[in-house]
Amino acid sequence: MFELKRTPFHERTSKLSLPQNWRRWAGYIVAGSYDLVLDREYWAIRDAAALIDITPLMKYIIEGPDAAKLLHRMTPRDVLKMAVGQVFYTGWCDDDGKMLDDGTISRLSDTKFRLTSAEPSLRWLAMNAVGMDVTISEVTDQVAALSLQGPKSRMILNQVCAKPLDKLKFFRMTEAKIAGVSVTISRTGYTGDLGYEIWMPADKALTVWDALFEAGRDYGIVPCGILAMDMARVEAGLFMIDVDYTATNHAWIAGQKSTPFEMGLGWTVALDKPGYFVGRRALEREHKEGSAWRLVGLEVEWEGLEKLYASVGLPPQIPGMAIRASLPVMHNGKQIGYASTSTWSPVLKKYIALAHLQRPHHEPGTRVAMEVTVEHHRLHAPATVVKTPFYEPEWKRK
Amino acid sequence: MAAYDAIIIGAGHNGLVAANYLAKAGRKVLVFERRGIAGGQLVTESFGDGFSADSLHASAHLRPDIVRDLGLNLPAASARSPYVCLLSDGKRLTIDADLARARATIREFSAHDAERWPEFVAFMERAAAFLDAAYRTPMPRLPHFAPVREGLPLAGLLWKLRRLGGRDMFRIVRAMSMSAEEFTDNWFESDALRAAISALAIHGVTLGPMSAGTGFTLMHNWLNRGGLAHRPVANGVGTIAVALVDALKARGGDVRTSVEVQSIIVDRERATGVRLASGEEIPAPLILSAADPRHTLLKLVGAAELPPEFVWQAQSIKLRGCVAKVHVQTNGQHGLPEGTLAVAPSIRYLERAYDAAKYGEISKEPYLEVTTNGNVVSIHFQFAPHALRNPDWNAANGIVEQRAVDTLDAHCPGFKASVKRMQVITPRDLESTYGLSEGDLNHGQLILDQIFFMRPLPGWSKHATPVDGLFLCGSGVHGGGGISGASGRNAAKAVLKL
Amino acid sequence: MAANQYDAIVIGAGHNGLVAASYLARAGKKVVILERREVVGGAAMTEEIFPGYRFTEFSYVVSLLRPEIIRDLELPKHGLKILPLPSTVTPLDNGDYLGSWDDHDLTRQEVYRHSPKDAEAYDEYSRVMARAAKAIKPIIGMVPPDPSSLSPRDLLGLLKLGQYARSLSEKELYRIAKLVTQSSADLLDEWFEFDALKGTKSASGIIGTFLGPRSPGTAYVLLHHYMGEIDGAFRAWGFAKNGTGGVSAAIANSARALGVEIRTNAPVDKVIVKGGVAAGVALQNGDELRAKVVLSAADPKRTFLQFVDSKHLPDDFVQSIKSFRVRGSSGKLNIALNALPDFTCLPGEGPLHRGAISISPSVDYIERAYDEAKYGQFSKNPYIDMIIPSMIDRDMAPPGHHVMSCFVQYAPYDIEGGWDDAKRDAFGETVISTIEKYAPNIRQCIVGKQVITPKDIERIAGITGGNIFHGELLLHQLFFFRPAPQWADFRTPLPGYYFGAAGAHPGGGVMGAPGKLAADAILKDVD
């Protein structure tokens, strides 16, 4: 009653987490990390397999003759064209074309979809469904979810699933059975590596966890907290709500809002799709006129950074985890944007950041400067605008 | 190529007024009416042999400028009959349109009030004139109005308000948000007189005399009616609708009755025509709907074509029918005096009648307004809420009939014995027969958050909708509520300016 | 300077009078405050009615005390401590409850239990209201201009107001326009489906008004609850250490430190008028005090109809003040307890006891309570807002014992037949039996109680009509209409006479804004 929710995996995760650094996520507590340093979890994502409890993701089942119509109207993607078994990633907007949230849509059948979101979306779904023949149910607590990410993730799943997942394409999903438990598996994730997300009934969650763990032992499976995932998602160029953009309904002022174009999600906006969708007019206008801002990748130039530290007699010091603090980005001494998340990338051996930059500074190759605090002084390290993702292994989409 | 420049949905008086203005400007217009007769709320209908009545409104007057602009040939309104309040103790408070006579009768209740009566009437006339001007002024969108095109008329209105002088200006503006109870308390001491006035304030709206904002509805009703009492239209209010239809036809416009528009065809936020119940599609670049905003937006357009926030707001439009009409054919011996009779003996009586509506019940002791036309007695009954807690409308019909007759009989003994036949129209009938969502005569409650620039919705008072080419011209838009034609006129003018 | 010669005289040592006096003294003026009673604080007062049990007699929470007042008068230094009042629990008739806690996730979980739809609506509603509060806040801190006047000051004020309005987005403006005109029931119906949630929220819209939740204009008051959120760290929502008397004491300490002379037991008879301007104050004991500035922090009726002869004021103005509505509608029960009341919905001692407990199961419940008041009766099933101050501030009652403060609505000032002891007892009994439905042991716990009717508020605190806001928060009694059209700028038709209490803009609550704004007006005029 007076405590935060625990996921169905808590019985396992609570015993595995050494630092017991619980993080709040959408009303739940989940492990920040399992090890005292993040390296093992991070490298599991990039080199073996990491098992992440993502149950707190909001999950909704949308079912009925108008289910496709509802999501088609609510999001800028052409949901009417979606195949059964396909998964769409998308943001969605208010009618001013400003981002409300982002998540995935899975087409479970002709008339049945699963939507995941970061923020509660029942009300928005209901507001969009007025007059439609569709039922919307929230299943966040009933459906447990695990993310198995890393190059070895397929091999592990092939061990436990009745039929191999070799044919499951990127952003597709399938029904499967793990240790007798009916699950759905989607080839999706938040790490930019080969990976899968497994959706299962909450009451059978531990069976699946145990089976994966057992099968994964020989492949280096590691329980992974959200801190390591946070580093990986920046490398993958994936942004996070209320960190890298402010949901339009959370914003206090207009300047805090972002659009899909500004977030680099122009590819999800199907302006020519049939029918009305929320934000259509505003997005059409923005498409025509161009966006004022753009979320881009920044690579801090090591030599420049080294120089700043060297001037006080120190080697460069980069925090070993993703930092969610706003850092000013400058161009010729004038602020032209800010980085919203920055991290050391162990796989790239680079200091990288996701940054919002004003037009025209967001073109790849533009040289800018990002604030770094060196021995209590705020200085600017040279950086270059790059395309995201920063890191994309060849096996991600294969 | 579309055969029509504009399609108007609904041949109520506002639809017809708008159609006439457009036709006058040379547009080819077509009006669709669901019912077999045109007129909407402005109909005189027969309920059997020798039993006909103005179905919903005992009197109706289009704004004089509309009559003039459209060159309508209307029967002259009859002289104003007195307003007679039937009090609990058998006494009557008769308020004549003639100030001297009214003072004489009011003096029986309070010398102080009699003294103030002429001043009060003058104040109400000023307030009504101000409201009339406001209803003529397009309400700008706040706050980014274009300084010249939109700002000027508004500046004119504000100037008019200022010219009234600080005293009147404050009095009118403050009185709008007051309750009728408080407003009348500022003028009068006699509860009977205060109740008589308060009755007009709550006429047709789901509010009690103690509700804030009934100061405004008093002014509004005073404007539309032209005072406390009705001035019935010779041969019935339906003659006005007939005159509007004739004028439209003379201008080359077309009215098709018994044709129901099932939906407005929308393609990516632009209206392209209408689809009839028969399945036929009629294209037109311009659609004006005189149906209520909620019906127009959520039923005819459909939520799927509209922004979710807007849909939510449209769903939140307060429509609250609470009026039932009971038409009574008598044997001629009803014994009721001439004029507009009101059963509104005290402010508390009216407030209690309203209390019932809050909880979805029919008033045990209703507020009645009664007019006679030969053998036929028409009773306006409040409150019979559309949102009945126990929605058994067959039973409700009987209850309304019985309470109407019993209440009137209690004040005018012998009335009951004269009853031959009755025809009751409840909010449910207003919805199913007359096409008014939730039986709301005003297409949306006249409450402070649904008037002026907030009617029908904040930001949408200028008749436009999120759907290009679709405009609202019914009572639910600025200028509307009651019979005046103002919203039809305003909508047509807005459209012609495009 | 002669002994009874001052720069300014302030009538009434309520919190507004104290604030005004402090600001005047801070600007170097010689100021005296005259208080009718033997204690300062007005309606913000703590008294030990039963030995050891301290009642925060009338007002019981601090909600909107202006941050700039806290800063300028250095109130923390003078003893102001605002303790957290973290929750509201509404016991339900089915034995369950609806809680709202100080943590977003916990509250969401709690509302979700009753209605998933409302849980989300609740978040969104809170955000929308907070933004509206942010938008309306500068208007509250503004001196209302007179729109009918052509004076430069008013035109400038109108321009400022217009400019500010233009700086807001269309959405914000409409939201404010709707909030100001809507009924709280209508507003809440747009958002929520769960009755108890709507009932509890709507209750905050009717506090101190003589209106029901279905009356237009009640939605605006709901905003007040969200004003605090914008103050950030200065957020002053909670229970003041030592009750609201603690707030008054802190301001009084600050006033004294600034050199204000506070005279208690000094009831004012008349404002002295010489040559058409205010020249001082005559006390009931015959003493006369002289000053060029007199500021009344009493209610508007006493300020203009009692202290000043009508002949010094224009007829219109007097008429406006006479028709200014000040109908008291609330009462209070202050109860001394020897144990904690045990609530069936959450048995045992728990978080419920540390926050507000609200008897507001539905909008209809409150509306029906109002219906009775309309016709001159106190509510048979009243809305009650309870807190147990001793759970928040242990110094309020002897160890192991408690005090409970119950704000009750409706209790009309003009009760049919007038208030007498029998009716007061019946009123108290009604409240206790209402609480008993949810906390069956309450009666056994009671060791003493004080029942306060609007008549008592008038008698003790000297507020005409017993309205806790000195005047109903009606739309036409706000902003440039408060207390009278054309006189909302804290000045009065009598030169030298000023008005700065809850009956002036921006109204009641332990806010201090009218006092500060009045002092500002004075300083602008005299310097």
Side-chain angles (χ1 to χ4, degrees):
Chain A
M1 180 190 339
F2 299 110
E3 59 183 32
L4 296 167
K5 291 196 280 186
R6 293 165 175 201
T7 79
F9 304 107
H10 194 81
E11 218 181 301
R12 298 286 182 277
T13 56
S14 58
K15 295 198 177 92
L16 289 166
S17 173
L18 284 176
Q20 294 285 314
N21 54 350
W22 300 98
R23 296 289 161 138
R24 292 176 69 158
W25 180 4
Y28 285 88
I29 48 169
V30 292
S33 60
Y34 292 87
D35 231 337
L36 298 175
V37 289
L38 296 182
D39 296 26
R40 200 163 83 99
E41 289 161 62
Y42 169 83
W43 281 109
I45 294 173
R46 291 288 175 237
D47 194 55
L51 190 62
I52 311 160
D53 179 2
I54 55 165
T55 303
L57 271 179
M58 300 281 169
K59 302 167 219 95
Y60 302 89
I61 294 292
I62 295 131
E63 199 167 8
D66 287 339
K69 202 171 139 196
L70 165 59
L71 293 167
H72 186 77
R73 159 195 162 76
M74 190 176 103
T75 70
R77 296 206 65 170
D78 192 342
V79 177
L80 298 181
K81 277 193 187 151
M82 203 174 171
V84 173
Q86 199 173 358
V87 183
F88 270 1
Y89 167 75
T90 185
W92 53 94
C93 304
D94 66 3
D95 208 49
D96 298 327
K98 306 292 187 187
M99 292 263 290
L100 261 171
D101 202 347
D102 62 299
T104 58
I105 302 170
S106 309
R107 188 160 202 166
L108 307 177
S109 79
D110 235 22
T111 54
K112 190 173 174 185
F113 292 82
R114 178 171 52 227
L115 175 81
T116 65
S117 63
E119 284 287 311
S121 303
L122 199 56
R123 176 181 150 80
W124 190 244
L125 280 162
M127 281 172 72
N128 275 281
V130 175
M132 290 189 191
D133 186 359
V134 60
T135 55
I136 302 159
S137 20
E138 175 166 2
V139 293
T140 304
D141 295 347
Q142 292 92 299
V143 176
L146 285 173
S147 184
L148 185 63
Q149 302 284 312
K152 301 277 195 297
S153 53
R154 185 184 298 153
M155 287 180 242
I156 296 173
L157 281 172
N158 282 345
Q159 296 286 314
V160 291
C161 290
K163 51 179 200 238
L165 294 174
D166 300 344
K167 292 222 174 89
L168 186 64
K169 286 194 269 182
F170 192 48
F171 269 83
R172 295 280 167 161
M173 50 152 292
T174 183
E175 307 282 328
K177 264 202 161 97
I178 296 178
V181 179
S182 294
V183 300
T184 60
I185 300 176
S186 56
R187 190 168 157 193
T188 49
Y190 197 48
T191 62
D193 220 292
L194 175 69
Y196 299 85
E197 288 170 327
I198 303 143
W199 315 84
M200 69 211 86
D203 54 352
K204 308 270 174 51
L206 291 179
T207 313
V208 175
W209 173 280
D210 292 341
L212 288 171
F213 238 84
E214 186 53 39
R217 200 181 303 276
D218 295 339
Y219 298 91
I221 195 170
V222 166
C224 172
I226 58 174
L227 296 178
M229 181 166 70
D230 212 15
M231 295 169 75
R233 64 102 184 163
V234 178
E235 292 172 338
L238 302 172
F239 53 76
M240 181 178 271
I241 190 170
D242 289 343
V243 176
D244 300 298
Y245 74 96
T246 305
T248 177
N249 57 334
H250 295 186
W252 277 92
I253 51 174
Q256 294 174 336
K257 301 177 178 184
S258 293
T259 71
F261 290 114
E262 291 171 352
M263 297 306 293
L265 293 187
W267 61 275
T268 64
V269 182
L271 280 176
D272 50 356
K273 74 177 185 177
Y276 165 81
F277 69 90
V278 185
R280 196 186 65 88
R281 267 185 193 155
L283 292 173
E284 210 166 56
R285 199 179 320 123
E286 187 184 340
H287 183 65
K288 212 181 294 162
E289 295 169 2
S291 313
W293 288 85
R294 183 72 195 254
L295 184 78
V296 299
L298 282 189
E299 275 183 20
V300 176
E301 288 166 24
W302 194 253
E303 293 75 15
L305 190 69
E306 221 166 18
K307 229 181 263 168
L308 294 179
Y309 278 96
S311 67
V312 294
L314 287 173
Q317 299 181 333
I318 305 295
M321 58 190 281
I323 300 299
R324 299 172 176 184
S326 172
L327 299 173
V329 176
M330 319 292 288
H331 184 260
N332 289 338
K334 209 178 119 234
Q335 184 168 357
I336 46 105
Y338 57 96
S340 43
T341 310
S342 55
T343 189
W344 169 248
S345 166
V347 70
L348 299 170
K349 296 268 180 257
K350 276 179 183 163
Y351 183 30
I352 59 172
L354 292 174
H356 293 259
L357 300 187
Q358 277 166 334
R359 190 165 63 183
H361 306 285
H362 51 58
E363 291 307 318
T366 309
R367 290 175 54 86
V368 294
M370 188 176 87
E371 185 178 289
V372 284
T373 303
V374 179
E375 225 20 41
H376 320 292
H377 289 273
R378 299 196 166 178
L379 306 174
H380 298 106
T384 311
V385 176
V386 299
K387 275 199 171 151
T388 55
F390 297 93
Y391 172 74
E392 189 172 30
E394 56 181 278
W395 52 81
K396 176 175 130 186
R397 288 165 188 271
K398 248 198 208 154
Chain B
M1 208 31 217
Y4 294 94
D5 296 323
I7 287 171
I8 285 116
I9 301 169
H13 74 288
N14 276 312
L16 291 171
V17 165
N20 266 291
Y21 271 97
L22 293 180
K24 193 182 162 207
R27 306 293 170 93
K28 185 88 181 117
V29 298
L30 171 60
V31 184
F32 286 115
E33 169 56 43
R34 200 172 125 270
R35 295 192 72 199
I37 47 166
Q41 297 186 41
L42 218 49
V43 286
T44 307
E45 290 175 283
S46 172
F47 306 113
D49 284 345
F51 181 17
S52 74
D54 288 338
S55 307
L56 306 180
H57 297 278
S59 72
H61 310 284
L62 298 179
R63 299 309 309 152
D65 60 306
I66 296 174
V67 177
R68 213 167 38 239
D69 288 350
L70 301 182
L72 297 178
N73 202 359
L74 298 179
S78 54
R80 193 177 296 282
S81 55
Y83 186 74
V84 185
C85 275
L86 308 171
L87 306 177
S88 320
D89 48 7
K91 276 211 263 182
R92 283 173 188 182
L93 166 60
T94 304
I95 306 173
D96 201 278
D98 179 77
L99 291 179
R101 259 184 298 202
R103 275 173 75 169
T105 46
I106 293 171
R107 192 164 293 120
E108 293 167 29
F109 291 82
S110 156
H112 164 270
D113 293 358
E115 215 42 54
R116 295 208 76 184
W117 180 252
E119 198 194 327
F120 174 76
V121 172
F123 174 78
M124 286 306 296
E125 293 297 337
R126 280 200 298 281
F130 169 71
L131 215 51
D132 192 22
Y135 287 163
R136 216 183 297 280
T137 311
M139 289 286 133
R141 291 182 69 147
L142 302 172
H144 306 288
F145 48 82
V148 183
R149 231 180 87 186
E150 296 182 26
L152 269 189
L154 188 74
L157 180 68
L158 292 176
W159 184 245
K160 194 168 273 170
L161 189 62
R162 256 186 112 117
R163 243 185 21 210
L164 292 168
R167 200 180 125 114
D168 262 0
M169 163 180 158
F170 279 122
R171 270 169 134 188
I172 290 174
V173 173
R174 289 188 71 218
M176 284 185 185
S177 78
M178 281 185 191
S179 68
E181 182 272 323
E182 180 177 359
F183 176 61
T184 55
D185 189 38
N186 287 347
W187 286 89
F188 303 116
E189 57 184 24
S190 152
D191 189 38
L193 179 59
R194 290 173 61 205
I197 300 164
S198 299
L200 182 64
I202 62 165
H203 191 86
V205 297
T206 307
L207 293 170
M210 296 184 187
S211 306
T214 42
F216 163 75
T217 48
L218 174 63
M219 292 176 200
H220 177 90
N221 286 340
W222 186 288
L223 166 68
N224 281 350
R225 196 181 273 195
L228 272 181
H230 285 290
R231 281 174 297 158
V233 180
N235 300 322
V237 294
T239 54
I240 301 176
V242 172
L244 282 166
V245 171
D246 290 347
L248 180 61
K249 286 187 171 154
R251 292 188 166 106
D254 212 349
V255 180
R256 286 196 213 160
T257 51
S258 301
V259 181
E260 183 175 357
V261 172
Q262 194 181 51
S263 60
I264 295 167
I265 307 168
V266 178
D267 179 32
R268 298 214 223 171
E269 300 168 271
R270 164 162 280 288
T272 59
V274 298
R275 187 175 295 112
L276 305 181
S278 64
E280 191 186 347
E281 294 189 358
I282 318 260
L286 207 57
I287 315 287
L288 277 78
S289 173
D292 66 76
R294 195 197 287 171
H295 181 78
T296 303
L297 296 165
L298 299 185
K299 294 269 169 56
L300 296 181
V301 173
E305 301 296 334
L306 296 166
E309 290 268 359
F310 183 83
V311 169
W312 179 48
Q313 287 183 39
Q315 289 177 307
S316 306
I317 297 175
K318 273 58 182 187
L319 291 144
R320 291 183 181 140
C322 65
V323 175
K325 290 289 285 195
V326 183
H327 298 292
V328 186
Q329 188 182 32
T330 69
N331 59 13
Q333 309 298 308
H334 55 68
L336 302 178
E338 275 292 297
T340 305
L341 316 185
V343 176
S346 71
I347 287 185
R348 282 191 176 187
Y349 178 96
L350 294 174
E351 183 71 16
R352 287 211 158 93
Y354 161 63
D355 283 348
K358 290 194 293 194
Y359 309 111
E361 282 147 22
I362 297 168
S363 311
K364 289 218 168 57
E365 298 189 305
Y367 151 56
L368 304 181
E369 194 186 75
V370 185
T371 50
T372 56
N373 185 6
N375 286 349
V376 176
V377 175
S378 294
I379 304 171
H380 170 108
F381 180 107
Q382 261 176 263
F383 292 80
H386 178 272
L388 274 187
R389 186 152 287 186
N390 167 23
D392 174 356
W393 281 96
N394 286 332
N397 278 17
I399 293 170
V400 168
E401 272 183 8
Q402 192 201 337
R403 289 188 186 162
V405 171
D406 288 351
T407 305
L408 189 53
D409 190 67
H411 288 90
C412 302
F415 167 71
K416 197 172 184 173
S418 74
V419 175
K420 276 167 66 181
R421 258 198 299 184
M422 284 193 270
Q423 174 73 32
V424 59
I425 303 169
T426 63
R428 180 50 62 96
D429 304 316
L430 290 174
E431 187 169 58
S432 58
T433 308
Y434 297 87
L436 299 161
S437 297
E438 293 190 33
D440 192 324
L441 292 171
N442 295 313
H443 289 199
Q445 283 289 292
L446 289 165
I447 41 184
L448 295 174
D449 58 309
Q450 296 195 154
I451 55 172
F452 300 131
F453 60 89
M454 293 192 273
R455 191 171 186 84
L457 288 172
W460 298 100
S461 57
K462 290 174 67 190
H463 308 279
T465 65
V467 176
D468 289 342
L470 172 64
F471 293 80
L472 300 174
C473 68
S475 255
V477 198
H478 174 59
I483 309 293
S484 74
S487 31
R489 172 197 62 200
N490 295 354
K493 288 190 171 172
V495 165
L496 288 171
K497 252 187 217 159
L498 292 176
Chain C
M1 225 185 244
N4 277 347
Q5 182 72 43
Y6 297 90
D7 294 328
I9 300 168
V10 176
I11 304 172
H15 67 282
N16 274 307
L18 290 166
V19 165
S22 304
Y23 271 97
L24 292 173
R26 197 165 160 264
K29 306 293 169 203
K30 185 182 174 203
V31 187
V32 63
I33 306 192
L34 306 172
E35 171 54 44
R36 191 178 56 95
R37 302 188 65 198
E38 66 289 351
V39 288
V40 299
M45 181 181 64
T46 305
E47 275 192 300
E48 193 168 315
I49 300 288
F50 302 102
Y53 300 91
R54 301 165 71 212
F55 290 158
T56 177
E57 214 170 336
F58 302 108
S59 70
Y60 55 104
V61 289
V62 186
S63 53
L64 301 165
L65 187 59
R66 303 297 313 125
E68 63 270 25
I69 296 176
I70 296 177
R71 282 193 300 268
D72 291 347
L73 304 185
E74 301 183 284
L75 297 184
K77 192 178 101 183
H78 293 287
L80 179 73
K81 276 189 198 165
I82 296 170
L83 307 173
L85 194 61
S87 62
T88 301
V89 172
T90 307
L92 307 182
D93 289 334
N94 64 3
D96 199 350
Y97 66 92
L98 168 71
S100 90
W101 318 107
D102 54 358
D103 180 80
H104 166 262
D105 285 332
L106 289 184
T107 302
R108 189 179 137 69
Q109 242 180 65
E110 169 61 11
V111 180
Y112 195 94
R113 205 164 65 81
H114 300 286
S115 157
K117 184 174 159 266
D118 285 5
E120 272 178 52
Y122 191 89
D123 283 352
E124 191 65 17
Y125 169 85
S126 307
R127 289 191 283 258
V128 164
M129 291 297 271
R131 281 194 288 265
K134 175 184 87 107
I136 212 162
K137 200 155 197 191
I139 300 175
I140 283 182
M142 208 177 255
V143 178
D146 172 4
S148 71
S149 146
L150 291 171
S151 84
R153 190 169 65 211
D154 288 311
L155 287 178
L156 195 70
L158 278 177
L159 190 71
K160 265 194 200 152
L161 182 65
Q163 269 172 349
Y164 178 68
R166 283 189 72 113
S167 76
L168 296 174
S169 76
E170 210 175 335
K171 260 191 194 163
E172 283 171 315
L173 269 177
Y174 289 137
R175 194 146 272 144
I176 292 177
K178 269 204 94 100
L179 279 170
V180 170
T181 48
Q182 228 177 353
S183 77
S184 49
D186 279 351
L187 171 73
L188 295 164
D189 276 340
E190 288 172 12
W191 288 91
F192 305 115
E193 58 183 21
F194 184 48
D195 259 351
L197 178 59
K198 290 194 276 189
T200 305
K201 290 262 163 208
S202 75
S204 60
I206 51 111
I207 285 179
T209 72
F210 204 118
L211 292 171
R214 293 194 196 281
S215 304
T218 46
Y220 164 74
V221 189
L222 298 182
L223 260 192
H224 278 191
H225 266 248
Y226 294 87
M227 300 271 177
E229 299 202 359
I230 302 134
D231 293 335
F234 275 93
R235 185 164 184 257
W237 165 256
F239 181 81
K241 174 85 190 169
N242 297 320
T244 44
V247 179
S248 302
I251 309 173
N253 288 343
S254 173
R256 282 191 203 97
L258 288 162
V260 173
E261 178 186 342
I262 300 176
R263 290 201 201 173
T264 52
N265 293 313
V268 168
D269 180 33
K270 281 282 179 214
V271 171
I272 301 167
V273 180
K274 280 249 167 75
V277 299
V281 164
L283 299 181
Q284 284 179 12
N285 66 7
D287 284 1
E288 291 199 355
L289 284 68
R290 300 280 160 176
K292 281 203 173 116
V293 167
V294 178
L295 174 111
S296 171
D299 71 78
K301 303 265 183 190
R302 296 210 307 158
T303 300
F304 298 112
L305 305 177
Q306 184 185 324
F307 296 154
V308 181
D309 220 317
S310 296
K311 68 179 184 226
H312 300 303
L313 300 167
D315 289 346
D316 245 20
F317 179 79
V318 172
Q319 203 48 49
S320 294
I321 297 296
K322 276 188 179 155
S323 59
F324 188 72
R325 292 215 150 178
V326 297
R327 299 167 302 168
S329 56
S330 27
K332 261 202 87 183
L333 241 67
N334 294 312
I335 309 176
L337 302 164
N338 58 19
L340 277 179
D342 200 13
F343 283 79
T344 344
C345 64
L346 277 166
E349 183 179 333
L352 138 143
H353 290 114
R354 294 192 289 271
I357 304 158
S358 175
I359 307 296
S360 49
S362 70
V363 170
D364 275 359
Y365 176 94
I366 299 176
E367 185 70 23
R368 285 185 197 275
Y370 165 60
D371 286 348
E372 284 159 335
K374 280 196 300 202
Y375 306 118
Q377 308 295 329
F378 62 76
S379 311
K380 299 282 170 297
N381 293 295
Y383 158 63
I384 308 173
D385 187 36
M386 291 171 261
I387 61 168
I388 303 171
S390 48
M391 284 295 288
I392 306 160
D393 173 359
R394 292 287 177 172
D395 294 336
M396 296 298 284
H401 289 231
H402 290 282
V403 288
M404 183 154 131
S405 154
C406 312
F407 174 86
V408 188
Q409 219 160 307
Y410 298 79
Y413 176 82
D414 286 313
I415 197 166
E416 210 160 74
W419 283 101
D420 53 28
D421 288 350
K423 284 211 187 76
R424 188 196 289 114
D425 289 348
F427 173 59
E429 174 53 32
T430 296
V431 175
I432 288 170
S433 52
T434 304
I435 300 172
E436 198 173 26
K437 282 183 217 158
Y438 305 97
N441 74 334
I442 182 84
R443 230 174 257 281
Q444 292 92 279
C445 307
I446 297 176
V447 293
K449 67 171 191 282
Q450 178 194 28
V451 183
I452 297 173
T453 70
K455 204 81 190 171
D456 300 319
I457 298 178
E458 180 178 70
R459 180 176 50 85
I460 303 167
I463 303 169
T464 311
N467 181 283
I468 59 170
F469 295 147
H470 288 201
E472 299 167 48
L473 294 181
L474 298 165
L475 198 43
H476 52 277
Q477 296 198 158
L478 291 178
F479 203 56
F480 24 64
F481 300 136
R482 194 170 184 89
Q486 300 174 295
W487 294 105
D489 63 352
F490 310 95
R491 296 168 180 92
T492 75
L494 177 65
Y497 194 37
Y498 293 81
F499 176 56
H505 172 77
V510 183
M511 176 155 38
K516 177 186 186 290
L517 290 171
D520 289 348
I522 292 170
L523 293 171
K524 211 173 262 175
D525 288 354
V526 299
D527 287 339

